[in-house]
Amino acid sequence: MVALHEGRFYKVQIKYRESQSGRSAIRVPAGTYCMPRSNGLRGRKYMEGDFDVAAIFAPELNAVLYVPADMIGINIALERRTRSPHFWWEDFRTFPPVAVSKRPSGDPSRPKPMPMPRLRRAPRPAKVPYAQPTKIQWPGKDELAGMLKRDTLRDIAKRLGVSDNSVRKRCLNYGIPLLGRGYWAKISVQTN
């Protein structure tokens, strides 16, 4: 996305980030990750010039945090930390963002933090068990062979309420030879 502020264009990368379970911080992503694979996620690290500002929506705060592009990869604290210096979420509320430094523990210059709103997640709907289809009455071998000569596998499957692969397997079990690929296309060309 592009944002215009006081006559200057900013390239903005938009992200949605929740705090990780058990932690009171949001991690600013250092790259884009997609396409899960067996050995992890495949992605690409952000390069200089990809964007100027990372706009991160934090649902715990119900707010957007604006992080300069040169600060990607940092953790932003959502709750006051007493033991270690940290980046504080209120420092990233202005646009365009400015580089900020970590707040030392017990910093008296910082006002008391606003109470952080907690969003309640909507309860997940109960899982509905998959309704198994009732057992169907398969036609006999001769009847299925006759149906196969008149209709496609897909049409037969729709009529029986099963998949076309089920009909194919049933034909193989009965020993009924299947029509080759393109059979119905050839028939339609011959009839036209």
Side-chain angles (χ1 to χ4, degrees), residues 3 21 59 80:
S21 60
R80 195 178 224 168

Side-chain angles (χ1 to χ4, degrees), residues 126-139:
K127 287 188 177 180
V128 178
Y130 176 71
Q132 292 287 338
T134 58
K135 295 201 176 215
I136 65 162
Q137 291 296 96
W138 283 98

Side-chain angles (χ1 to χ4, degrees), residues 1-191:
M1 186 176 94
V2 177
L4 177 64
H5 180 73
E6 295 180 359
R8 181 179 168 206
F9 282 103
Y10 292 88
K11 291 188 282 185
V12 181
Q13 176 74 323
I14 299 173
K15 292 290 183 185
Y16 174 91
R17 300 297 281 189
E18 293 180 358
S19 62
Q20 298 167 354
S21 60
R23 298 188 63 196
S24 59
I26 291 177
R27 176 95 174 145
V28 180
T32 179
Y33 301 97
C34 58
M35 296 174 61
R37 298 221 167 162
S38 59
N39 59 350
L41 293 177
R42 178 179 172 202
R44 177 181 82 77
K45 293 235 180 227
Y46 292 130
M47 306 294 283
E48 186 176 340
D50 280 352
F51 56 90
D52 301 314
V53 178
I56 300 170
F57 178 74
E60 292 92 350
L61 305 169
N62 197 21
V64 177
L65 306 178
Y66 301 102
V67 181
D70 57 349
M71 295 184 73
I72 60 173
I74 64 169
N75 286 324
I76 299 175
L78 302 179
E79 293 177 2
R80 195 178 224 168
R81 294 186 182 175
T82 56
R83 289 189 290 273
S84 62
H86 54 276
F87 291 106
W88 182 242
W89 68 273
E90 289 177 342
D91 295 335
F92 296 97
R93 293 301 309 270
T94 59
F95 187 90
V98 293
V100 297
S101 57
K102 286 188 174 183
R103 296 233 181 214
S105 58
D107 183 7
S109 66
R110 184 183 65 209
K112 287 192 172 184
M114 298 180 345
M116 190 169 65
R118 296 275 182 189
L119 295 180
R120 292 186 181 202
R121 292 186 182 179
R124 291 185 179 175
K127 287 188 177 180
V128 178
Y130 176 71
Q132 292 287 338
T134 58
K135 295 201 176 215
I136 65 162
Q137 291 296 96
W138 283 98
K141 179 179 179 180
D142 296 333
E143 188 180 350
L144 187 59
M147 292 170 73
L148 193 60
K149 289 180 183 174
R150 290 188 311 270
D151 294 321
T152 64
L153 283 175
R154 186 173 289 172
D155 293 338
I156 296 169
K158 279 184 184 176
R159 198 172 319 130
L160 295 175
V162 295
S163 69
D164 55 342
N165 199 32
S166 297
V167 176
R168 182 179 292 112
K169 286 180 181 179
R170 182 61 61 148
C171 289
L172 292 175
N173 285 345
Y174 283 154
I176 301 171
L178 295 173
L179 303 173
R181 285 181 181 237
Y183 174 81
W184 291 105
K186 289 177 191 173
I187 294 295
S188 67
V189 168
Q190 290 172 0
T191 57

